[in-house]
Amino acid sequence: MLPRQNGDNALDADSRRRNFLFLFKIFGLCVFVAFIATIFATIFRPEEDDNTTTGGIAADPNDNNNDRDATSNPALTHVPFASLSTSPTASPTAMSKFQVLQSLFLDLSGDLWLQSDHWIDPTTPCCEWFGLICDDESGDVTSINLSYNNLSGSISSNIGKLTALKELKLIGNSIAGSIPSEIGLLTQLTNLNLSKNQLNSFIPTTVGGMSNMLEFSVGRNSLSGSLPSEFGLIHTPNVSIFIYYNKLSGTLPSELGNLVSSDQPFNLKSNLLTGTIPSEFGRLEAATALMLSYNSLNGTIPSELVMLSSLRRLDLHRNRLSGSIPSEIGRLPLSKPLASVNLGYNDLDGKIPSEFGSLDRMSSLILCYNSLSGVIPSELGLLQRLDQLVVHENPMLSGPMPPEICALRLLSGLVDLRVDCDFDCACCTTRECDD
């Protein structure tokens, strides 16, 4: 029996050895498969999305939970722009408009404003912020008026995103920098008044895009460069242009004559403008005032100005205009509203047109410091409303003063009648004599 027992033991040992080898091969195969799978997973792994969280899990753009970081900041939680509610869920449009107002506040040194009630306050509807007016239905901001409020800094280019804005008034502050070109995106804007600030640089050519403009006022700044011809693209009725007391140079664009509907003042006085007055200005038929004084304009006064049938004030003094005064100015159409003419301090010559006597609403006629000659026409005695006639410093003018004009001293209150020291005039109020 012992030999058989030894044989059985040998068989069992051989069986165990074969089983071990089989299991070892299976294990090796599994390791190999796992290794190959790891390699494939590494090679074909998709790139991680840029919008991943700190833990490496891609952020789902449709998952509202992704707003947790933003809404944890109370300044971004309530953006009450589109309505008067203070809903904690802000729409993208409302958020964008809130950010625009925030950028305006920061760029214009809002912490120094005299009044800034509720500005950037997330708990107050923006329509209740100081200086803002909103549309009742849409909630869009339609008016910003922060005049005389100690604003400084510059106007944010984001202003162009307030596309419903109809009025922007920032008068009498200390705003510097440029007028952003994005202002031209405000196609609903009717009133832009940035006067009495410290604006410099150029007037952007994009002003031509403001197709509903009624008043463009940037007077008393330090704007330079040329006057954009794109102003001629504005065809709204009753548009008025105020760009006085700046540093604009170059010539007057003839395209300005396209503002044919303007029945408001056209004021470009006190700049550095050169060149001639375009004859196209005769197309400004409804303009009530043409003020180009204190520039360096030359050439003659266009006779086409006779077409300005609504003109009440013509002010061209302190330029370098030459030639004669067009007699056509005295032959304006039937309405004849012209009440004030100032052509002083130029190089005009020739005679004073007797046709001025037909301008029956004339109250002020200033022709001093020119080279006018001849006599003062007696027809000026027909101007029953005349209270100022200034003709001194015209050495070639000769007297005496017509009695018809002296009669106005008693009849109509001609209170300012100025001539040279040696001019023959018994009724004149002032004689200008050289020292």
Side-chain angles (χ1 to χ4, degrees):
M1 295 299 294
L2 290 173
R4 183 174 179 82
Q5 184 176 6
N6 292 335
D8 291 338
N9 290 338
L11 289 172
D12 291 340
D14 184 65
S15 177
R16 286 194 296 272
R17 186 168 51 253
R18 288 197 299 271
N19 289 340
F20 175 78
L21 291 174
F22 176 77
L23 293 174
F24 181 80
K25 291 178 180 179
I26 293 298
F27 175 76
L29 181 61
C30 291
V31 172
F32 177 77
V33 170
F35 176 74
I36 295 299
T38 301
I39 293 176
F40 271 81
T42 301
I43 294 175
F44 295 103
R45 177 183 298 173
E47 295 182 0
E48 291 184 356
D49 195 291
D50 289 337
N51 299 319
T52 56
T53 63
T54 305
I57 301 175
D60 183 357
N62 298 318
D63 186 356
N64 291 332
N65 290 330
N66 292 327
D67 293 333
R68 288 175 181 171
D69 290 340
T71 56
S72 65
N73 183 348
L76 299 178
T77 303
H78 305 288
V79 188
F81 198 98
S83 68
L84 295 180
S85 66
T86 56
S87 170
T89 303
S91 69
T93 301
M95 177 68 75
S96 173
K97 292 176 181 177
F98 179 87
Q99 291 173 340
V100 170
L101 292 174
Q102 186 179 47
S103 67
L104 288 176
F105 183 83
L106 295 176
D107 288 358
L108 292 172
S109 306
D111 55 330
L112 300 177
W113 294 1
L114 299 178
Q115 287 184 276
S116 58
D117 299 351
H118 305 304
W119 270 79
I120 318 301
D121 180 358
T123 64
T124 304
C126 74
C127 298
E128 298 179 16
W129 296 1
F130 174 77
L132 300 188
I133 297 177
C134 299
D135 182 81
D136 291 337
E137 295 183 1
S138 67
D140 291 331
V141 173
T142 58
S143 174
I144 299 177
N145 189 345
L146 298 171
S147 300
Y148 301 99
N149 200 36
N150 200 41
L151 277 61
S152 58
S154 60
I155 302 173
S156 171
S157 60
N158 288 327
I159 189 69
K161 297 178 181 177
L162 297 176
T163 54
L165 200 62
K166 296 181 179 180
E167 180 181 68
L168 178 60
K169 291 185 176 181
L170 305 177
I171 311 165
N173 288 290
S174 300
I175 303 171
S178 61
I179 301 173
S181 60
E182 289 79 2
I183 205 82
L185 299 174
L186 303 178
T187 57
Q188 300 301 312
L189 199 65
T190 60
N191 190 323
L192 175 65
N193 198 327
L194 307 177
S195 58
K196 298 181 182 180
N197 277 286
Q198 299 171 13
L199 294 169
N200 48 51
S201 190
F202 308 103
I203 298 175
T205 58
T206 53
V207 294
M210 297 186 289
S211 54
N212 288 297
M213 181 61 60
L214 295 178
E215 178 179 339
F216 183 90
S217 183
V218 292
R220 297 186 183 276
N221 281 284
S222 297
L223 295 167
S224 59
S226 59
L227 193 62
S229 61
E230 285 77 6
F231 273 113
L233 299 175
I234 302 175
H235 292 152
T236 51
N238 305 327
V239 62
S240 55
I241 306 293
F242 297 96
I243 316 181
Y244 55 91
Y245 289 105
N246 278 283
K247 299 178 181 178
L248 296 179
S249 58
T251 59
L252 290 168
S254 60
E255 289 83 355
L256 292 178
N258 295 332
L259 299 170
V260 293
S261 300
S262 176
D263 67 354
Q264 297 295 320
F266 193 87
N267 192 339
L268 299 175
K269 71 178 182 181
S270 296
N271 279 283
L272 304 173
L273 297 170
T274 58
T276 61
I277 300 174
S279 60
E280 288 81 0
F281 275 26
R283 298 206 301 263
L284 297 170
E285 297 175 355
T288 57
L290 180 60
M291 292 176 278
L292 304 175
S293 59
Y294 287 94
N295 281 287
S296 296
L297 300 173
N298 54 43
T300 60
I301 299 174
S303 60
E304 287 81 1
L305 296 186
V306 69
M307 300 305 298
L308 304 182
S309 57
S310 299
L311 199 65
R312 299 172 188 168
R313 181 178 179 184
L314 177 62
D315 189 354
L316 306 179
H317 82 282
R318 290 193 182 272
N319 278 286
R320 299 174 181 174
L321 298 172
S322 58
S324 60
I325 300 173
S327 60
E328 290 85 353
I329 293 179
R331 295 197 294 267
L332 287 170
L334 295 178
S335 59
K336 297 184 292 186
L338 191 59
S340 175
V341 173
N342 191 341
L343 305 178
Y345 294 90
N346 279 288
D347 297 317
L348 299 172
D349 55 27
K351 297 180 178 181
I352 299 175
S354 61
E355 288 82 359
F356 276 174
S358 65
L359 299 172
D360 55 11
R361 298 187 186 181
M362 180 73 71
S363 62
S364 176
L365 179 59
I366 301 176
L367 304 173
C368 59
Y369 286 92
N370 281 288
S371 299
L372 299 172
S373 59
V375 298
I376 297 176
S378 61
E379 287 81 358
L380 297 185
L382 299 173
L383 304 177
Q384 298 295 314
R385 302 185 185 185
L386 192 66
D387 58 31
Q388 184 179 40
L389 176 60
V390 180
V391 294
H392 66 277
E393 293 299 333
N394 284 282
M396 290 182 284
L397 271 182
S398 59
M401 182 66 68
E404 293 86 351
I405 295 177
C406 286
L408 295 178
R409 295 276 288 120
L410 299 174
L411 298 176
S412 62
L414 180 56
V415 295
D416 187 4
L417 181 54
R418 271 181 273 177
V419 295
D420 285 327
C421 189
D422 56 353
F423 193 90
D424 184 4
C425 180
C427 61
C428 290
T429 60
T430 306
R431 294 180 180 275
E432 299 290 343
C433 302
D434 294 332
D435 294 335

